[in-house]
Amino acid sequence: TFATGPTPVSIYNNTIYRAMEYWASPQIWPTSFEAMMLYVSLDPAGGGAADVDLLDPRSWTMTPPLPFDKAWITTFNWTHTQPLQAPGYLEGNAVVGPNNNEIYNILRFNALPYTNKAIILKLDQRQNALIFQQIIDFPGGNSKFVIRRDPVSGLYLSLVNNVTNTVDLNMRNILFQYSSM
């Protein structure tokens, strides 16, 4: 079973990128989600505009699903003593990197009882694989967010449901806009 949320695609260098998740057995939310990236070249022959059938599954490349690895938790500088409840990731955003030649999958990280964390995976197109990069502090990281890169300024803009209430850690009733600097 495949799953995802309403997250944006990225188009870069005549290629469409879309983050998705595979929901592996036993389908436990969110620990059973495995990150993936789908991508399709709009110019596969390299000779200009091509007639690519986006509805034909053979046009697309899909990375193997990458399960969440609990060992990644130890790479973050946590300031807590409580264990994470059902850690996992989901609803990735395909994002063009700051140097314009890398694609990342930035995912919500369910790190309850801690909030506002995300996980960054890097797409290696030569190996057709996603590679763990890091866990980051990110507003809305366990709730909901979308990331877009402004092609003119290079700034990243995000709409997020930042968790600001320590009682309701799953809140989604306040929309924030953030920008990189």
Side-chain angles (χ1 to χ4, degrees):
T1 302
F2 296 96
T4 192
T7 58
V9 300
S10 284
I11 301 174
Y12 175 71
N13 202 21
N14 283 325
T15 303
I16 299 173
Y17 297 91
R18 175 66 164 106
M20 285 187 67
E21 292 78 43
Y22 174 69
W23 201 6
S25 289
Q27 294 187 334
I28 299 171
W29 188 98
T31 58
S32 296
F33 286 116
E34 299 179 1
M36 307 166 26
M37 185 75 75
L38 296 158
Y39 51 101
V40 59
S41 173
L42 299 175
D43 186 15
D51 187 17
V52 176
D53 183 357
L54 297 178
L55 299 179
D56 182 351
R58 295 172 296 180
S59 299
W60 292 82
T61 301
M62 179 176 72
T63 64
L66 180 65
F68 175 78
D69 186 342
K70 289 184 181 180
W72 298 338
I73 295 170
T74 62
T75 67
F76 187 77
N77 187 19
W78 297 95
T79 57
H80 69 75
T81 56
Q82 296 177 323
L84 303 184
Q85 303 165 9
Y89 55 22
L90 64 157
E91 297 178 355
N93 285 249
V95 179
V96 178
N99 61 6
N100 284 331
N101 66 354
E102 296 172 333
I103 303 296
Y104 294 92
N105 186 354
I106 304 178
L107 299 107
R108 291 175 47 194
F109 179 31
N110 186 64
L112 294 176
Y114 306 96
T115 60
N116 301 323
K117 308 284 184 239
I119 290 186
I120 299 176
L121 305 176
K122 182 178 175 182
L123 174 63
D124 181 335
Q125 283 184 257
R126 288 189 189 117
Q127 307 234 354
N128 189 40
L130 290 171
I131 301 166
F132 172 76
Q133 299 296 293
Q134 63 182 326
I135 296 172
I136 60 170
D137 289 313
F138 192 85
N142 73 302
S143 180
K144 189 69 174 169
F145 63 86
V146 296
I147 304 171
R148 303 295 277 167
R149 183 166 186 239
D150 177 47
V152 175
S153 68
L155 293 175
Y156 292 90
L157 304 172
S158 294
L159 294 175
V160 306
N161 287 120
N162 192 8
V163 177
T164 60
N165 183 332
T166 58
V167 176
D168 183 5
L169 300 180
N170 292 307
M171 69 178 281
R172 287 187 174 187
N173 61 343
I174 301 173
L175 184 65
F176 291 81
Q177 180 179 347
Y178 284 87
S179 173
S180 64
M181 298 177 61

